[in-house]
Amino acid sequence: VQLVESGGGSVQAGGSLRLSCTASGFTDRNYCMGWFHQAPGKGLEWVSAINWSGDSTDYADSVKGRFTISKDNAKDSLYLQMNSLKPEDTGMYYCAAAKTPGGYCYSTAAASFTYWGLRIQVTVSK
């Protein structure tokens, strides 16, 4: 499985960005997908996850109401719409996938995700 992120960049606080992740190599429909964030000098934090069919989503409290995760299986793509961005959203964003029973998401732990993208930078200025 290969994951490639795109759509990062720089924006002022209050602005919006949309991250995309294009996937290849899935062998079946049993994958949970998610986004992780690493702020400068800090550890990896889970942001959001979505099940294979796209009808079950979950968000970290810090982004709830501001970010929306979605996917288009026909395009093998995962998205993260980020609105009302804050300076603390600055950092590297990773797309990740975990092979799970039924394609449901059972864990937000980074260790439970096997496949990772190369990361993409998001910078939010005050």
Side-chain angles (χ1 to χ4, degrees):
V1 174
Q2 291 187 321
L3 305 172
V4 179
E5 301 96 336
S6 61
S10 298
V11 64
Q12 288 190 325
S16 298
L17 283 173
R18 188 192 195 208
L19 303 184
S20 298
C21 173
T22 301
S24 61
F26 286 137
T27 57
D28 51 41
R29 299 181 178 185
N30 298 323
Y31 291 89
C32 160
M33 297 194 73
W35 290 98
F36 286 79
H37 169 232
Q38 186 169 28
K42 296 190 177 181
L44 201 59
E45 294 181 329
W46 170 77
V47 173
S48 182
I50 188 167
N51 67 336
W52 179 263
S53 61
D55 59 3
S56 178
T57 59
D58 198 10
Y59 299 92
D61 288 343
S62 60
V63 306
K64 204 168 289 185
R66 299 190 298 122
F67 290 10
T68 302
I69 191 170
S70 62
K71 68 198 308 270
D72 184 340
N73 288 338
K75 297 181 179 180
D76 291 327
S77 294
L78 175 73
Y79 307 102
L80 186 67
Q81 178 66 44
M82 305 187 294
N83 298 330
S84 302
L85 281 161
K86 303 176 181 180
E88 51 264 42
D89 295 321
T90 292
M92 305 303 294
Y93 283 77
Y94 295 81
C95 169
K99 190 167 176 61
T100 64
Y104 289 97
C105 299
Y106 298 97
S107 172
T108 61
S112 67
F113 287 79
T114 305
Y115 307 101
W116 293 81
L118 295 178
R119 70 187 183 182
I120 194 162
Q121 175 72 42
V122 169
T123 302
V124 184
S125 57
K126 295 181 181 178

